[in-house]
Amino acid sequence: FFLAGYLAGLIWIAGLGHFGVAWFAASGALNLQAGVPLILFAVLAALVILLVIVAVAWSLNPSRQDFAWFIRLRRPRWLVFEGLIPVIWLLIYACFYISAWLTWQASWSGLWMAAFLVQLVLVQSYTLVICRSRSLGRGTAIGFAGWVWGIALTLAVASESLLAAALLLPYLLWSPVGTWVTWQMRQLNR
């Protein structure tokens, strides 16, 4: 219910878009000359996007018991940077956040926000599916699906904001590494 509430809020705000601002402006409820309401919409959008990212990340996290199974798996010897992986993902999520917000600011499109939500769910489902199913093969498939969706999203978002598209590149560069690591782990843990 927690996630559903935030998603409904995001969809409501996304649906508001240009039409909603135009209606508010015509009704006199907004003084667009001052620019303050547009700043408030930008701040509200930033907060909703952040809350949705946190809600999805929180709700699609594996349990400690499931994650403990994953931690016990053997890793490739060349994986010497595993301690940096949480920092890498934090930076990628920050880029997702800024990219989604920039896309919203450029388009006010609920469809773009839905596309970012699909990306987020695919990315966050990777570890959850691996840990719950105890299947590195399924994780590899989800990792690949997220990467393919990410390519499509990046190319599409470029029409709205080149900076928003550029902010998706860290994920596109990192995702094949993560998928390759998972594939290698699958071979080591048969």
Side-chain angles (χ1 to χ4, degrees), residues 5-62:
Y6 284 115
L7 293 178
L10 176 65
I11 291 167
W12 180 80
I13 288 173
L16 196 63
H18 289 294
F19 171 76
V21 172
W23 181 83
F24 278 125
S27 71
L30 292 178
N31 178 2
L32 294 179
Q33 299 298 328
V36 173
L38 292 180
I39 292 169
L40 292 177
F41 274 122
V43 170
L44 182 59
L47 288 173
V48 170
I49 292 167
L50 180 62
L51 290 173
V52 168
I53 288 173
V54 169
V56 169
W58 178 77
S59 65
L60 295 179
N61 252 343

Side-chain angles (χ1 to χ4, degrees), residues 8-189:
L10 176 65
I11 291 167
W12 180 80
I13 288 173
L16 196 63
H18 289 294
F19 171 76
V21 172
W23 181 83
F24 278 125
S27 71
L30 292 178
N31 178 2
L32 294 179
Q33 299 298 328
V36 173
L38 292 180
I39 292 169
L40 292 177
F41 274 122
V43 170
L44 182 59
L47 288 173
V48 170
I49 292 167
L50 180 62
L51 290 173
V52 168
I53 288 173
V54 169
V56 169
W58 178 77
S59 65
L60 295 179
N61 252 343
S63 69
R64 283 185 181 204
Q65 181 181 3
D66 288 336
F67 195 67
W69 168 84
F70 181 74
I71 293 298
R72 288 190 300 266
L73 295 174
R74 290 188 312 246
R75 272 105 170 114
R77 288 184 192 158
W78 54 265
L79 185 62
V80 296
F81 55 87
E82 189 170 14
L84 294 175
I85 291 175
V87 175
I88 292 167
W89 276 110
L90 184 62
L91 293 173
I92 288 171
Y93 272 82
C95 289
F96 278 168
Y97 169 69
I98 296 167
S99 179
W101 185 78
L102 289 171
T103 303
W104 172 258
Q105 290 301 106
S107 68
W108 292 24
S109 169
L111 291 175
W112 284 122
M113 295 303 100
F116 274 96
L117 181 60
V118 169
Q119 180 70 54
L120 181 63
V121 168
L122 282 170
V123 169
Q124 192 62 32
S125 295
Y126 165 82
T127 305
L128 179 68
V129 168
I130 287 174
C131 292
R132 289 246 176 105
S133 69
R134 306 280 201 265
S135 170
L136 293 167
R138 289 181 185 162
T140 302
I142 287 179
F144 181 72
W147 184 68
V148 170
W149 184 269
I151 290 171
L153 181 63
T154 302
L155 293 173
V157 163
S159 68
E160 297 293 338
S161 168
L162 290 176
L163 180 56
L167 286 166
L168 294 173
L169 292 178
Y171 169 73
L172 293 180
L173 295 172
W174 174 253
S175 182
V177 174
T179 301
W180 178 251
V181 168
T182 306
W183 182 257
Q184 292 289 305
M185 288 173 62
R186 183 174 180 245
Q187 305 304 320
L188 290 171
N189 291 282

